[in-house]
Amino acid sequence: MPILISMILIASTLAAAEPRFGLDRDPACVFSEVAGGNLRVLLPGDPLRPPCAWSGEAAFALELGRCYTRYSWWNGDRSHNLEMAARRIDGVVLRPGESFSFNQRVGERTEETGYREAKVIADYGYTDGVGGGICQVASTLYGAAFFAGLEEVERHQHRFRVGYTRLGLDATVDYGKKDLKLRNPFPFPVRLELGRTGKGELMARVSGPLELVKTRYRYKLEEVVDSDRVRFKKVDQPKDVLVYYGRPGITLERLKTQRTVFHRKWRRTKLEKDQYKPSPWELEVAEYPGGKKTLRGATKKQIAGLLKGTKYKVADAMYGDLGEKDSKWLRPDYVSGKRLRQFERFTPAAAVARSD
């Protein structure tokens, strides 16, 4: 009994001095070692390889953050790219203080490396490019990492707002130019998990042994600018007229608030603003109106005239979440219990990949 009391006092003293102490090791292992007379496990050690370090599935028993997006499964080439990139990331383990690079892990997007051509965002609109669809993986992973409390080292917004994730929580990547980099700030390992909850349903999770932080997110719209540019695509027999909606440009302020197990008060952080450009309308025509391939400075009335006789309206280009100037405090995406039970990772659960 005296040994047990001393052991508790030592652990309590050290934990009070350094809140991270003790969180880097498996309590079941610590208990077993102490019961066997090894009191050294109660002392600080190598932060990367502490005694009784978390290991096995016990190290990833809790979901720390989650993000859920839908993708066009019927688009074979885009889905191939998306799933290939997700498969390369699923299972990556980040040790305490270790960083992750999306580009390094996913690799260069070329046909030689297995990626296919699909739609990507360019400066002037949408075009075909090898690796189209991979940014959705980056965005889904970023959302999960954001709510899990991972440190954001590098992140870039898209040129145009994308509709598959919540406003201000997207991430674009471009090999050699723009990367998504994350760092594990916790004293224990975390695992990046990507998989499907159903057909065309992508989910990213960050898992670990303990939940030390809760994160909420909120955005405030500063400006919304309607698209006034129309690109015409000449075809022999236009079928559906509309190729792409002209989405509005958006400027927003982003806020993050966090609460830890050590500090129960929510702490607010103002994040870097996001500024999305208006994306152009793209319409199919038999002949270029007035001989022009692009119409600039178009009014809503002019665009409505171009859509006359179709099922499309100018108002349809406005995303539903732009109805209110300020969002509520947002938490990780809700996913039903049924879908969570259907979650199937891209790699076997026992496979653990290194991030380096």
Side-chain angles (χ1 to χ4, degrees), residues 45-58:
D46 184 346
L48 294 181
R49 295 176 178 80
C52 280
W54 291 97
S55 62
E57 286 304 301

Side-chain angles (χ1 to χ4, degrees), residues 115-335:
Y115 292 102
R116 300 176 184 172
E117 197 171 79
K119 292 296 180 183
V120 297
I121 295 176
D123 291 345
Y124 49 83
Y126 297 91
T127 188
D128 291 325
V130 177
I134 288 180
C135 284
Q136 183 166 349
V137 179
S139 296
T140 309
L141 177 61
Y142 174 69
F146 181 94
F147 286 108
L150 298 192
E151 182 182 329
E152 177 184 318
V153 178
E154 181 181 348
R155 172 257 177 184
H156 304 271
Q157 63 174 74
H158 283 80
R159 180 176 179 81
F160 309 136
R161 191 302 172 71
V162 292
Y164 49 70
T165 192
R166 290 186 279 189
L167 186 58
L169 289 180
D170 62 301
T172 186
V173 287
D174 186 358
Y175 192 83
K177 297 179 182 178
K178 297 179 180 179
D179 201 357
L180 172 64
K181 293 181 180 180
L182 306 167
R183 178 181 173 276
N184 176 15
F186 301 121
F188 46 74
V190 297
R191 185 168 67 194
L192 311 181
E193 301 175 354
L194 283 92
R196 289 169 294 217
T197 58
K199 201 171 186 178
E201 299 177 359
L202 176 68
M203 190 165 79
R205 303 196 311 181
V206 177
S207 63
L210 302 168
E211 185 180 36
L212 299 185
V213 62
K214 288 187 179 295
T215 304
R216 299 186 303 183
Y217 166 72
R218 185 180 184 183
Y219 62 79
K220 296 184 177 182
L221 295 176
E222 292 189 355
E223 186 178 23
V224 178
V225 180
D226 292 324
S227 174
D228 64 352
R229 187 156 51 106
V230 184
R231 295 178 62 204
F232 298 107
K233 181 180 180 181
K234 189 175 179 180
V235 295
D236 293 334
Q237 294 181 333
K239 294 181 179 180
D240 202 25
V241 179
L242 180 71
V243 180
Y244 293 111
Y245 281 106
R247 303 296 187 181
I250 306 164
T251 301
L252 72 152
E253 180 181 281
R254 302 190 305 144
L255 302 171
K256 177 176 70 174
T257 184
Q258 291 184 311
R259 185 176 69 187
T260 71
V261 295
F262 307 115
H263 306 93
R264 301 300 296 171
K265 186 177 180 180
W266 289 98
R267 295 184 176 184
R268 183 179 298 191
T269 303
K270 183 179 288 189
L271 305 173
E272 188 175 349
K273 289 184 181 180
D274 273 1
Q275 292 183 305
Y276 302 91
K277 302 290 185 182
S279 65
W281 291 84
E282 187 167 332
L283 307 178
E284 288 186 344
V285 293
E287 296 292 339
Y288 294 126
K292 295 182 179 180
K293 295 182 179 180
T294 302
L295 177 62
R296 302 178 185 277
T299 64
K300 286 186 177 181
K301 187 175 181 179
Q302 286 177 300
I303 297 173
L306 294 169
L307 297 175
K308 188 175 181 180
T310 73
K311 61 182 178 181
Y312 306 108
K313 299 179 181 179
V314 175
D316 295 338
M318 187 70 69
Y319 284 108
D321 55 7
L322 300 183
E324 297 182 2
K325 186 175 182 181
D326 299 342
S327 74
K328 299 176 182 178
W329 284 106
L330 304 175
R331 299 177 183 272
D333 290 320
Y334 169 76
V335 178

Side-chain angles (χ1 to χ4, degrees), residues 57-73:
E57 286 304 301
F60 314 109
L62 295 179
E63 179 185 272
L64 308 183
R66 172 204 307 157
C67 185
Y68 168 89
T69 63
R70 293 177 178 269
Y71 63 96
S72 49
W73 56 266

